[in-house]
């Protein structure tokens, strides 16, 4: 038996106190870990809820150039003026690529297997990197600052990518299509990327702009330098601008 000022305490009581003392750090760690996880979740939620966005001008469904003329005039171009595109042009280009054409059903400008819409469209100019939000017809700010040189290096040093005033990145989340179509998902995503890109090329032509499709780049470097989410895999880069004659 052990004795202290308050009297006698059985030995097993001291053992309980000792065990409790050893468990205190563990309890604190578990508690702090839960607090940290909760804080991280709140930070992510708040960042998503308060992400900076830019509202685009209303797109239009009629233009001055016919579809036939746009098909006839479309050519690939790799030499661009520095002249920036205005917000009306950007709005029309992104709408043609993945914009909403049926507000009731949220159908988009390009057909999608099962209406699953795996494509994610990003825009790059001298001011930053943006994610196109079709339902709101807005741009979500991803990165501020001119990242075109980084994109050109990722595209195997194709300098015209950095010279273009505006670049569209067509990326895809394959999981959206795999959930329904399994092993054929990749094929369906490629088909959708092709139709959406052709819409974009023809719209650019109708606006008096030049474009080219770039498929030669390091996927992982593009994704990292443009801060794309891990499940958004880049498929195409499409520089757009006025032709340098």
């Amino acid at each position: 038996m052990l004795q202290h000022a308050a009297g006698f305490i059985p030995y097993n009581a001291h053992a309980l106190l000792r065990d409790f003392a050893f468990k205190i750090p563990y309890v604190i760690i578990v508690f702090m870990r839960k607090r940290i996880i909760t804080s991280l979740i709140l930070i992510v939620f708040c960042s998503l809820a308060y992400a900076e966005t830019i509202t685009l001008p209303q797109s239009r469904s009629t233009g001055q150039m016919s579809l036939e003329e746009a098909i006839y005039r479309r050519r690939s171009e790799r030499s661009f003026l520095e002249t920036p595109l205005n917000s009306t042009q950007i709005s029309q280009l992104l709408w043609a690529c993945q914009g909403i054409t049926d507000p009731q059903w949220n159908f988009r400008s390009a057909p999608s297997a099962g209406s699953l819409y795996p494509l994610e469209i990003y825009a790059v100019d001298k001011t930053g990197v943006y994610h196109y939000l079709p339902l709101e017809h807005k741009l979500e700010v991803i990165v501020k600052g001119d990242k075109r040189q980084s994109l050109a290096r990722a595209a195997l040093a194709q300098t015209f990518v950095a010279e273009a005033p505006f670049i569209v990145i067509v990326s895809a989340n394959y999981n959206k299509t795999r959930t329904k179509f399994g092993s054929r998902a990749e094929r369906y995503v490629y088909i959708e990327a092709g139709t959406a890109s052709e819409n974009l090329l023809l719209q650019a032509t109708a606006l008096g702009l030049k474009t080219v499709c770039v498929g030669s780049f390091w996927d992982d470097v593009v994704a990292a330098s443009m801060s794309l989410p891990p499940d958004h895999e880049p498929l195409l880069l499409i520089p757009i601008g006025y032709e340098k004659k």
Side-chain angles (χ1 to χ4, degrees), residues 44-221:
V44 172
F45 175 79
C46 291
S47 64
L48 291 174
Y50 296 99
E52 184 179 351
T53 59
I54 300 171
T55 301
L56 293 167
Q58 179 64 45
S59 60
R60 52 185 173 78
S61 57
T62 59
Q64 297 180 344
M65 185 180 293
S66 68
L67 173 62
E68 293 82 1
E69 186 176 356
I71 293 172
Y72 179 79
R73 291 183 177 276
R74 187 215 59 79
R75 292 293 181 274
S76 296
E77 181 58 57
R78 294 174 176 81
S79 182
F80 302 100
L81 295 175
E82 296 180 359
T83 308
L85 274 58
N86 60 47
S87 59
T88 300
Q89 292 171 315
I90 292 172
S91 169
Q92 197 64 29
L93 289 167
L94 295 176
W95 171 82
C97 186
Q98 273 291 281
I100 301 299
T101 55
D102 185 336
Q104 181 178 357
W105 296 99
N106 289 330
F107 291 151
R108 301 187 188 180
S109 56
S112 178
S115 297
L116 297 173
Y117 301 112
L119 298 187
E120 299 289 346
I121 308 302
Y122 290 84
V124 183
D125 66 10
K126 66 180 182 180
T127 65
V129 180
Y130 306 89
H131 181 212
Y132 179 52
L133 307 175
L135 294 178
E136 298 90 351
H137 196 52
K138 293 181 179 180
L139 289 175
E140 177 188 8
V141 180
I142 303 300
V143 179
K144 292 185 178 180
D146 195 344
K147 298 295 182 180
R148 291 177 298 169
Q149 288 291 344
S150 298
L151 193 57
R153 287 193 292 270
L156 310 183
Q158 297 181 78
T159 56
F160 64 86
V161 173
E163 295 169 357
F166 189 73
I167 307 105
V168 169
I169 302 174
V170 179
S171 73
N173 181 349
Y174 290 100
N175 291 329
K176 286 186 176 181
T177 306
R178 285 196 185 106
T179 56
K180 183 173 184 179
F181 296 108
S183 61
R184 296 188 71 83
E186 197 168 280
R187 176 184 303 202
Y188 294 157
V189 170
Y190 291 157
I191 292 171
E192 186 171 342
T195 55
S197 298
E198 181 67 1
N199 282 357
L200 178 60
L201 301 181
L202 294 177
Q203 181 65 83
T205 302
L207 294 173
L209 302 168
K210 295 295 184 180
T211 67
V212 63
C213 287
V214 178
S216 182
F217 52 82
W218 286 299
D219 298 18
D220 55 341
V221 180

